[in-house]
Amino acid sequence: MIPVGILTAAATSSFIFLLDQYPGAAAAYSMRKLRSAYIGPAIRVRRDSDNTQIDINFVANVLDTTTLLTFVGVGNGFITKWYDQSGNSNDAVQGTNSSQPGIVNLGVLLTENTKPTIGVVGTSLPFTTNISADTNISIFAAQRTKTTTSVGSVLGHNDPGGSGPFFGIYNNFYNLNISLNGQFKFGNSSTIVGTLFNVLNTIVNSTNVFNYVNDVAVTVPLSNGSAPSFFS
């Protein structure tokens, strides 16, 4: 089983490197440091004042927000790359300016529970990676439900064949798109609680898909289909 994680920031007290405890991830992304051996940056940011980009590193194992805010100034900052901390170089990228998620709005850091967070805007998939998955994969993410956007996922695969996974919550539904035994499948759940912060988990093996929202199983009836247009 290959874990794929999208994780948010955590408190710096009693700091725990998650990937040191649970090694072997295919990819892992966060605004905090997840692996003690990781020495790279957290994100690459573009400021809208002149479209200059720089890498933002970690300080004391969390995002260097001082450097970030100084760089962006009173304008807006957008993430062009979310660096993979697993060691597999599966960086998540978005080269289209209008699809890049925000991290600073008019000089103010975007936060969730006082920690840096990503603000997804628009209707396209914010990030794509080179992760390829068919069966035997686990995906974890923390995401606030949005009722005003069709963005259901922060991360997906850039393969036109749609072999990579993506999932998330949009319009109060749990949305899942994944490949199972070489067949691309997609589906939506029944209505879930809206406008809340949710921990999402999907586990796929050779025959089944299991989905959870905040440790509660949800049913997502899957149908066969072709890859969404933004995979192309």
Side-chain angles (χ1 to χ4, degrees):
M1 184 173 291
I2 306 173
V4 179
I6 308 171
L7 304 116
T8 58
T12 57
S13 59
S14 302
F15 197 87
I16 297 174
F17 296 102
L18 190 61
L19 292 189
D20 288 358
Q21 292 189 312
Y22 303 97
Y29 314 90
S30 181
M31 296 300 160
R32 68 179 177 103
K33 194 172 180 180
L34 299 176
R35 187 166 61 95
S36 57
Y38 181 71
I39 58 174
I43 54 177
R44 186 165 183 83
V45 173
R46 174 184 65 85
R47 63 186 180 197
D48 65 352
S49 59
D50 60 3
N51 290 324
T52 299
Q53 299 185 25
I54 65 167
D55 286 338
I56 304 297
N57 297 301
F58 295 105
V59 172
N61 299 321
V62 295
L63 186 70
D64 182 2
T65 57
T66 299
T67 297
L68 170 62
L69 291 172
T70 299
F71 167 70
V72 174
V74 298
N76 302 307
F78 300 92
I79 302 174
T80 64
K81 181 181 291 187
W82 203 356
Y83 287 96
D84 171 25
Q85 297 185 47
S86 72
N88 296 315
S89 299
N90 284 318
D91 299 333
V93 298
Q94 178 53 263
T96 302
N97 288 0
S98 60
S99 296
Q100 291 163 359
I103 185 71
V104 177
N105 180 50
L106 298 177
V108 178
L109 180 70
L110 299 183
T111 62
E112 180 70 42
N113 294 328
T114 74
K115 304 299 188 293
T117 191
I118 291 177
V120 178
V121 296
T123 58
S124 60
L125 192 69
F127 292 113
T128 59
T129 76
N130 290 319
I131 299 170
S132 181
D134 190 342
T135 60
N136 300 326
I137 188 169
S138 297
I139 319 171
F140 306 88
Q143 178 181 330
R144 179 176 291 282
T145 304
K146 296 295 185 181
T147 59
T148 58
T149 177
S150 62
V151 174
S153 174
V154 174
L155 188 71
H157 194 270
N158 60 9
D159 177 8
S163 62
F166 69 96
F167 77 140
I169 295 176
Y170 78 98
N171 294 338
N172 295 338
F173 289 88
Y174 188 106
N175 173 250
L176 175 68
N177 296 264
I178 199 160
S179 185
L180 184 65
N181 291 323
Q183 174 63 57
F184 184 79
K185 295 180 180 292
F186 65 94
N188 291 324
S189 72
S190 58
T191 303
I192 63 172
V193 177
T195 66
L196 296 178
F197 196 73
N198 298 280
V199 177
L200 314 178
N201 176 212
T202 284
I203 301 172
V204 183
N205 60 30
S206 60
T207 57
N208 294 300
V209 180
F210 304 93
N211 306 292
Y212 302 88
V213 177
N214 302 322
D215 287 332
V216 177
V218 294
T219 301
V220 182
L222 295 178
S223 302
N224 295 335
S226 58
S229 61
F230 49 67
F231 274 156
S232 59

